[in-house]
Amino acid sequence: MTTAAVPELWTDWCSVVGVPVESVDEPTLTRFSQQARPTKRALAALRHVLGPERPVAPAWPRAHAGDPGSLHRLVRRVTIMVQDPATHWVQRIRLRRMIFAAALIAPPSHGGLGLDRAEAIALRPSDFVRLRPRIGIADDPASCPACAVWSWLAVIGTNNGWSHGAVKALGHRRDAGGAHRHAEPDVSPDWRLCVGMLPAVDRWGWIDGYFSVHPSSLSMIIGAMTIVLEGSEPVPSPEPEPRAPVREVSDEERDAIFARADEVAARVEAILSEYGH
């Protein structure tokens, strides 16, 4: 308990009646309320300060709260799925959103911000500008929360300032490997103009430009994080076989093809004329 945050009226009352400042229970608060007549605001602040401390990262999967490497492991595994050539572009966007949500709710000791569900949903760009430097960095870009955040900001920034086609093109694109993306300038600074930073993404890849997801949807995303953390390491699909190069037709070949087509068309026309058609 921080005594500086305790209402002064409480400390004065405790001094008069002989109650230790740090020893408080509901009967004592009731007695204090009856005798000192505190404002509702002061009483609420007192209950908040003297109550149990807020748990660290309450939204993070509880089974992994004590594993400081869990956020980096989640980022690495989801990055494998993002980079998989078989991943559909809409799913790739949703996976990027999942890693961003993970960076918001993971404990600070893991490299996250430790936000609860309500704080993550209510997060605004102006708040995130201030909080962004606290996001953790990993040696491996594929496990780096700050790089994953960079990729998601590119998505919502593009959605805010460009067309759906541009978002789709970004969804088809896989992240370049070998270097930290978070060290580069943001692809689209328009993310700073977004309203919700954890928007819904429908089955066609349309991203809600006005609101963050419903709390129940965020709970489903967090549930998916648990599945990824507790499952086996993803195995990417093999790269597709390169297509055989298409042979280009020369000018001479093209002229010959057109001449042959004209010849066939003339013969068909002659046959039709012969039979009166």
Side-chain angles (χ1 to χ4, degrees):
M1 180 182 67
T2 304
T3 56
V6 175
E8 186 177 349
L9 181 59
W10 166 257
T11 57
D12 291 344
W13 180 82
C14 289
S15 176
V16 171
V17 300
V19 173
V21 174
E22 66 277 3
S23 299
V24 63
D25 52 28
E26 212 41 58
T28 305
L29 285 178
T30 301
R31 181 183 170 196
F32 166 68
S33 179
Q34 292 172 346
Q35 294 181 352
R37 302 293 182 182
T39 64
K40 291 182 179 180
R41 182 175 181 180
L43 193 59
L46 181 62
R47 279 199 170 96
H48 175 76
V49 171
L50 298 179
E53 292 185 4
R54 178 183 184 271
V56 177
W60 187 245
R62 188 171 302 175
H64 303 276
D67 178 6
S70 58
L71 176 59
H72 290 184
R73 185 168 70 256
L74 178 70
V75 173
R76 185 185 71 251
R77 291 184 172 189
V78 176
T79 298
I80 292 174
M81 292 186 276
V82 168
Q83 298 294 79
D84 193 324
T87 300
H88 190 272
W89 72 269
V90 176
Q91 182 65 6
R92 189 171 285 128
I93 287 177
R94 288 174 171 168
L95 288 169
R96 286 177 172 142
R97 181 186 60 183
M98 179 197 290
I99 314 179
F100 177 73
L104 298 184
I105 67 173
S109 59
H110 295 27
L113 297 179
L115 305 183
D116 61 26
R117 284 173 168 81
E119 290 169 336
I121 290 173
L123 185 67
R124 294 294 179 263
S126 56
D127 299 319
F128 191 66
V129 168
R130 173 177 51 85
L131 296 172
R132 188 178 183 181
R134 302 182 190 177
I135 299 292
I137 297 172
D139 292 335
D140 178 14
S143 304
C144 181
C147 286
V149 164
W150 184 93
S151 291
W152 175 245
L153 295 180
V155 171
I156 59 174
T158 301
N159 183 68
N160 192 68
W162 300 86
S163 65
H164 180 61
V167 174
K168 183 176 181 179
L170 193 59
H172 279 289
R173 190 182 311 157
R174 290 182 282 171
D175 294 320
H180 279 281
R181 303 184 298 281
H182 74 264
E184 303 174 4
D186 288 332
V187 170
S188 178
D190 283 344
W191 68 265
R192 295 168 181 258
L193 304 176
C194 295
V195 179
M197 298 197 68
L198 275 177
V201 181
D202 71 15
R203 68 182 68 181
W204 298 281
W206 290 94
I207 301 174
D208 192 329
Y210 299 100
F211 301 100
S212 285
V213 295
H214 189 272
S216 61
S217 298
L218 179 56
S219 294
M220 292 178 64
I221 294 172
I222 295 171
M225 294 178 197
T226 302
I227 293 173
V228 174
L229 282 169
E230 298 178 356
S232 56
E233 192 83 4
V235 178
S237 305
E239 291 289 340
E241 293 290 333
R243 295 182 178 180
V246 178
R247 187 176 70 85
E248 294 187 4
V249 179
S250 66
D251 292 340
E252 293 77 8
E253 289 176 312
R254 185 175 62 253
D255 292 341
I257 292 171
F258 289 160
R260 178 62 176 165
D262 290 341
E263 178 184 344
V264 172
R267 290 175 60 189
V268 170
E269 185 177 351
I271 292 172
L272 293 175
S273 298
E274 181 179 350
Y275 287 93
H277 292 285

